[in-house]
Amino acid sequence: MTTAVADAHDAHDEHHGPQKGIRRWLFTTNHKDIGTMYLVLSLIMFFVGGTMALIIRSELMSPGLQFVHPEFFNSMTTMHALVMVFGAVMPAFVGLANWMIPMMIGAPDMALPRMNNWSFWILPVAFGILISTLFMPGGAPASGWTMYPPLVLQTGDAFPFLIFAIHLLGISSIMGAINIIVTILNMRAPDMWLLKMPMFVWTWLITAYLLLAVMPVLAGAVTMLLTDQFFGTSFFLAAGGGDPVMFQHIFWFFGHPEVYIMILPAFGVVSEIIPTFSRKPLFGHDSMVYAASSIAFLSFIVWAHHMFTVGMPLTGQLFFMFATMLIAVPTGVKIFNWVATMWRGAMTFETPMLFSLAFVFLFTIGGFSGLMLAIAPADIQYHDTYFVVAHFHYVLVPGSVFAIMAAVYYWLPKWTGHMYNEKLGKLHFWLSTIFINVTFFPMHFLGLAGMPRRIPDYSTQFANFNEIASIGAIGFGLSQLVFVWVILTSRSGAKATDRVWEAPRGLEWTVPSPAPYHTFDTPPKVRVAQESFE
Amino acid sequence: MNADAADRRKAVRRTTIILVAIALAFYLGFILMGLLRA
């Protein structure tokens, strides 16, 4: 089957390859080109957001004000979050989806290729607008990524640009989500039944539904902020009869599923990698699908755990507390299944597997601190402290970001046709893993000791742990240069085989490496492909 | 274009329209909720 598919590709490429020069990237409708652009943009934004993180950590290296004004510090925390969430993590997963989903389900391309091009090209414009606010009178937005009114309404000239940028990011995400759902529902190869789909495709299908449901909610919330500021409405202004707490409810109705938007595709990636390097099929594939669906459903009914301190009836606190704790059940199913997949497997520890294993361990730490935060009476103490910062960074960095890195190492040979430098990959892994813990683990102690988040200065009692965290952050930042070097030099590595690894499963490994510009013009036979792996 | 491709095209269009409608409903619905509460 591999040969048949390869021949078909070769023949097709002679007639219809990519355009030359810049036009290829501007006007491309090819899912692989668009996936590459998403991934490159994501890497650039990762470094932009990382630079902001280093400014934050430099300021916090020791007590007292050293490098930046407090207002600029607040802008840095706000912009770091917006850039990392909307510019680094989400586009990276959309890039992976673009590259891999059509190949994994045996489709020739995404269902709506022109819209795919638009989805991508809106993003650089949105980030151009967002980053330009750093140079505007009044400075960049500084109210935190949550944009709570009335604080956010004090933003200077940057305010309408912030709102416009958020709208553009939302439109891009919604178009991307629609494209992914339509592709998965309509473009699968014959015999690729829903429950046969790889976990990465499944988790992305669920993620796309989440995106479709919550990005419009964020857009609605910021539209109301805009009309409150410029059109005399009082949706969130207490003086006009509005309710600022309503914004918090609406924001977190978006914000909590957003967390799962950033972690479900990571679950999918890890569910692809662990079986490959354990040389066993994924344990409990169907239960993983149901667990991911349950997590997605529960993510809609837990939003107010972010707002326990705002004041709510006891019954409300109890509901949101128990509903949040319930998420540990399907998450536990996933962790159990990954461990069971590895159990008695013939495991090897190449870079993607190392990142996946670190994901399982360190994401679990983030999950446990999440459980602690879910306990309403305890959360009153933890709220707005560095404990929260430690929690969500454990979920997002060794969680989402490590999964993205694992995915890049796993599929890079399929994209470039060459093996990356394994030694440097492992060096990148160990440096990242050590420094990420040096950075974020002390933040638990800082939070429990009472250090508030989003402040440029602090009491001297917090000095030591802050210094350790800042050294860790600088180390983690520098370690990522190794990642860039590995990617840049990957084309000089040994030629990759079509299957790349010893025991991968899935249609993407049946096409040549590098994957031809067009794949599966003729739908593949899924059963034949599966038998070839048995 | 063969019959299969035409059917698939129709299905793609139908799914897209439904999903766009869902997104718009969430967007307008939440603004309407704000209006009713304000």
Side-chain angles (χ1 to χ4, degrees):
Chain A
M1 182 195 153
T2 306
T3 317
V5 173
D7 290 347
H9 296 145
D10 293 341
H12 193 74
D13 271 355
E14 281 175 21
H15 304 293
H16 184 29
Q19 292 194 55
K20 298 284 177 240
I22 189 76
R23 291 177 62 85
R24 168 175 178 179
W25 303 103
L26 278 177
F27 303 117
T28 183
T29 53
N30 182 285
H31 72 101
K32 299 182 184 81
D33 280 351
I34 294 172
T36 303
M37 290 196 294
Y38 266 110
L39 289 167
V40 170
L41 176 79
S42 157
L43 189 62
I44 293 168
M45 298 312 285
F46 181 57
F47 277 92
V48 171
T51 306
M52 292 170 176
L54 288 182
I55 292 171
I56 294 167
R57 284 313 323 168
S58 302
E59 181 56 52
L60 295 174
M61 177 83 97
S62 48
L65 295 174
Q66 10 276 322
F67 300 113
V68 294
H69 289 289
E71 296 81 6
F72 186 72
F73 181 91
N74 290 340
S75 290
M76 283 296 97
T77 56
T78 305
M79 296 290 278
H80 163 72
L82 289 171
V83 165
M84 285 304 199
V85 169
F86 294 107
V89 175
M90 287 172 69
F93 280 127
V94 180
L96 293 171
N98 257 291
W99 247 104
M100 302 315 300
I101 287 177
M103 288 208 289
M104 287 174 137
I105 62 171
D109 205 311
M110 298 294 278
L112 305 158
R114 290 192 191 94
M115 194 165 88
N116 206 12
N117 175 292
W118 269 96
S119 304
F120 172 76
W121 279 110
I122 285 174
L123 279 184
V125 177
F127 286 110
I129 292 169
L130 190 64
I131 289 170
S132 72
T133 60
L134 284 165
F135 308 102
M136 290 180 183
S143 58
W145 85 290
T146 50
M147 300 176 287
Y148 282 175
L151 184 61
V152 72
L153 301 176
Q154 295 172 22
T155 308
D157 291 1
F159 181 75
F161 293 91
L162 166 71
I163 301 297
F164 188 44
I166 298 284
H167 274 118
L168 288 179
L169 294 171
I171 290 167
S172 166
S173 293
I174 292 165
M175 292 203 299
I178 289 174
N179 215 340
I180 286 168
I181 297 172
V182 175
T183 303
I184 295 173
L185 293 188
N186 296 293
M187 306 282 283
R188 298 191 312 280
D191 286 341
M192 178 61 81
W193 309 319
L194 280 174
L195 273 175
K196 240 186 189 180
M197 291 193 311
M199 270 313 292
F200 181 69
V201 180
W202 254 113
T203 51
W204 242 114
L205 180 63
I206 296 164
T207 302
Y209 277 114
L210 286 181
L211 273 168
L212 190 73
V214 301
M215 290 310 290
V217 176
L218 175 69
V222 296
T223 303
M224 287 186 266
L225 280 180
L226 189 79
T227 60
D228 273 6
Q229 181 79 321
F230 294 114
F231 299 100
T233 59
S234 298
F235 286 109
F236 309 123
L237 299 176
D243 182 2
V245 175
M246 186 176 73
F247 179 87
Q248 297 187 25
H249 280 292
I250 297 174
F251 180 86
W252 286 114
F253 186 81
F254 145 80
H256 198 78
E258 172 68 20
V259 175
Y260 294 95
I261 286 165
M262 289 189 282
I263 204 66
L264 284 177
F267 289 169
V269 166
V270 171
S271 301
E272 297 296 325
I273 293 173
I274 288 180
T276 296
F277 296 99
S278 303
R279 289 159 183 80
K280 278 174 65 189
L282 181 67
F283 182 88
H285 174 279
D286 294 1
S287 68
M288 291 290 245
V289 172
Y290 298 130
S293 310
S294 310
I295 291 170
F297 168 75
L298 289 170
S299 76
F300 281 107
I301 57 165
V302 297
W303 76 89
H305 68 218
H306 295 272
M307 310 163 46
F308 281 140
T309 57
V310 88
M312 68 176 76
L314 185 64
T315 44
Q317 289 188 36
L318 285 171
F319 172 78
F320 286 109
M321 181 170 82
F322 289 128
T324 305
M325 288 176 162
L326 213 53
I327 297 181
V329 177
T331 311
V333 169
K334 289 193 158 294
I335 305 279
F336 177 87
N337 285 3
W338 290 323
V339 174
T341 305
M342 289 183 267
W343 177 252
R344 293 189 172 172
M347 290 168 71
T348 52
F349 299 96
E350 288 85 346
T351 310
M353 182 62 161
L354 287 174
F355 272 106
S356 301
L357 287 174
F359 171 94
V360 175
F361 279 100
L362 300 176
F363 173 79
T364 305
I365 293 178
F368 278 130
S369 57
L371 266 178
M372 292 168 71
L373 287 161
I375 301 166
D379 181 73
I380 308 288
Q381 300 297 316
Y382 306 141
H383 188 86
D384 256 344
T385 70
Y386 257 81
F387 190 83
V388 181
V389 179
H391 156 67
F392 69 74
H393 278 96
Y394 261 91
V395 172
L396 287 178
V397 187
S400 303
V401 173
F402 270 28
I404 291 163
M405 287 168 177
V408 169
Y409 283 113
Y410 186 54
W411 284 311
L412 195 63
K414 180 55 66 186
W415 301 339
T416 63
H418 294 272
M419 297 306 289
Y420 59 87
N421 186 322
E422 187 64 43
K423 269 188 189 158
L424 285 179
K426 283 182 176 160
L427 176 72
H428 172 228
F429 165 76
W430 284 111
L431 289 175
S432 298
T433 305
I434 291 165
F435 282 121
I436 210 68
N437 286 293
V438 174
T439 309
F440 295 117
F441 208 80
M443 290 184 189
H444 292 108
F445 306 131
L446 287 169
L448 292 174
M451 178 171 162
R453 58 191 288 211
R454 292 171 173 155
I455 52 160
D457 190 11
Y458 50 82
S459 163
T460 49
Q461 65 172 313
F462 304 125
N464 291 347
F465 281 133
N466 267 300
E467 195 174 356
I468 294 169
S470 292
I471 291 167
I474 293 164
F476 182 74
L478 291 176
S479 312
Q480 302 324 304
L481 298 176
V482 180
F483 184 44
V484 175
W485 180 254
V486 172
I487 294 171
L488 290 178
T489 56
S490 63
R491 276 174 175 266
S492 58
K495 189 91 186 68
T497 59
D498 292 355
R499 288 184 61 175
V500 180
W501 311 107
E502 235 179 68
R505 286 156 189 273
L507 289 173
E508 74 268 35
W509 307 106
T510 64
V511 302
S513 301
Y517 197 59
H518 297 282
T519 31
F520 299 129
D521 291 324
T522 315
K525 290 188 172 58
V526 178
R527 281 182 191 158
V528 177
Q530 278 186 337
E531 279 159 16
S532 74
F533 291 123
E534 299 300 329
Chain B
M1 191 188 299
N2 63 31
D4 275 357
D7 283 349
R8 179 175 278 192
R9 219 183 156 123
K10 254 188 214 165
V12 164
R13 196 173 300 150
R14 189 175 55 234
T15 319
T16 309
I17 290 168
I18 292 169
L19 296 175
V20 170
I22 292 172
L24 279 175
F26 270 95
Y27 178 65
L28 297 173
F30 269 77
I31 292 179
L32 184 66
M33 192 182 78
L35 272 175
L36 293 175
R37 199 182 149 89

